[in-house]
Amino acid sequence: MLQSFIEKGDVMFTPVKNQKVYEVVIEQIKEMIKTGKLKKGDKLPPERELVEELKVSRTSIREALRSLEILGLVESKHGDGNFIKKNFDDSLLEPLSLMFMLQESSPKDVLELRMVLETETAMLAAKRIGADELKDIKAIIDKFKATADEKLNTELDVEFHHAIAQASKNLLLVNILSATSVLIDTFISDARYRIIEKEENKEKLIKQHEGIYKALLNKDALKAAEEMRKHLEFINKSIFKS
């Protein structure tokens, strides 16, 4: 496989000398992704070819590939080899989770990150949202109104925010917000439930969701950001009583 690249005049890898081996391997693969020599779904050369081309041990290659898996850039398919990932929807979750735990971050840090990101996301969505996406968001609000099932309401709340992120048409934001949403579910598992189980809070959430929806419908970017900010401030105060 590597020979075919060389025959085309493209040198994929360079030998590694006097550095942390697996980190250099990672950097070379990341650089090839940046320059377009490796694309989504591409299969990496077998370990033995990487060992030969890079002049490193198989252990170093495996360390590098495992690190790239953790970063969410590479996926290993048993019996088929290693591939650049096609889907990056969950690629940020594991490193974010590890960073959250190792740095002893607080749940409030996650919610503050959402505040920063989602207000801008709502602004972008207001500018870019399509008719079908507006219908989907309205349908989520209607379901939220109609059900008394707190578990379903919690799921609908997640779906509501995800739909707005999708409407922003920015895949980086979608991925980051998906990861932070899972962090909230993981580390503050009963947060949304505790808010929604109070009937008066559910009514407030409905009004807040409708306010965001109306701003999106009117393509009012500043209003969408403002309504999202108010909504997230309410959630934060409800969770932390501050």
Side-chain angles (χ1 to χ4, degrees):
M1 180 181 293
L2 287 174
Q3 186 61 35
S4 64
F5 285 109
I6 293 169
E7 287 171 356
K8 293 177 185 176
D10 293 325
V11 178
M12 287 285 289
F13 298 96
T14 57
V16 175
K17 296 180 181 178
N18 302 322
Q19 298 179 59
K20 283 189 178 179
V21 176
Y22 78 95
E23 290 181 353
V24 178
V25 175
I26 290 169
E27 287 306 313
Q28 290 200 33
I29 291 175
K30 286 167 65 177
E31 184 61 28
M32 284 184 280
I33 293 170
K34 288 179 187 176
T35 58
K37 290 181 180 178
L38 286 172
K39 297 181 173 62
K40 289 195 297 183
D42 281 357
K43 184 177 181 178
L44 291 173
E47 287 182 10
R48 66 180 180 277
E49 291 188 32
L50 290 172
V51 167
E52 181 181 344
E53 185 71 16
L54 291 162
K55 306 292 191 269
V56 298
S57 69
R58 181 161 287 193
T59 299
S60 296
I61 293 297
R62 287 176 177 172
E63 285 178 347
L65 291 172
R66 175 58 187 151
S67 297
L68 289 166
E69 276 193 82
I70 292 171
L71 288 170
L73 292 175
V74 167
E75 59 182 336
S76 178
K77 298 180 182 179
H78 184 67
D80 201 15
N82 297 293
F83 296 79
I84 304 300
K85 286 190 72 172
K86 287 183 178 179
N87 187 331
F88 292 90
D89 287 350
D90 62 352
S91 62
L92 291 172
L93 175 58
E94 188 170 356
L96 272 179
S97 298
L98 288 172
M99 182 175 66
F100 183 96
M101 291 182 286
L102 291 172
Q103 295 184 345
E104 299 181 355
S105 301
S106 71
K108 196 165 188 176
D109 291 335
V110 181
L111 294 174
E112 286 174 352
L113 175 64
R114 284 190 67 200
M115 175 72 76
V116 171
L117 292 175
E118 290 203 54
T119 52
E120 291 298 318
T121 300
M123 185 179 290
L124 288 176
K127 296 174 182 178
R128 301 171 179 176
I129 197 165
D132 289 342
E133 291 164 320
L134 283 165
K135 287 179 184 177
D136 291 341
I137 291 172
K138 181 64 165 60
I140 293 168
I141 295 173
D142 290 342
K143 289 178 187 176
F144 193 84
K145 289 179 180 179
T147 181
D149 183 333
E150 282 84 3
K151 185 175 183 297
L152 177 57
N153 279 329
T154 300
E155 292 171 358
L156 289 168
D157 190 58
V158 175
E159 191 177 341
F160 175 80
H161 287 272
H162 183 71
I164 293 172
Q166 291 281 1
S168 76
K169 309 295 193 297
N170 185 313
L171 291 178
L172 282 175
L173 280 173
V174 173
N175 289 333
I176 292 170
L177 290 173
S178 294
T180 54
S181 178
V182 176
L183 278 177
I184 289 170
D185 290 344
T186 303
F187 297 104
I188 327 172
S189 58
D190 65 338
R192 287 193 183 97
Y193 179 85
R194 284 190 285 111
I195 297 170
I196 293 173
E197 68 181 346
K198 295 181 180 180
E199 189 60 35
E200 65 270 25
N201 283 348
K202 184 184 175 184
E203 292 302 316
K204 289 177 182 177
L205 288 172
I206 289 171
K207 289 181 180 179
Q208 290 165 9
H209 287 172
E210 288 181 327
I212 295 168
Y213 168 74
K214 287 177 183 176
L216 295 173
L217 182 65
N218 293 327
K219 307 284 188 179
D220 189 334
L222 292 177
K223 184 66 172 175
E226 179 187 352
E227 293 295 331
M228 181 63 77
R229 180 184 55 77
K230 289 179 183 177
H231 172 58
L232 293 172
E233 283 178 349
F234 171 74
I235 291 173
N236 291 1
K237 287 178 182 177
S238 298
I239 293 173
F240 297 108
K241 308 297 182 187
S242 61

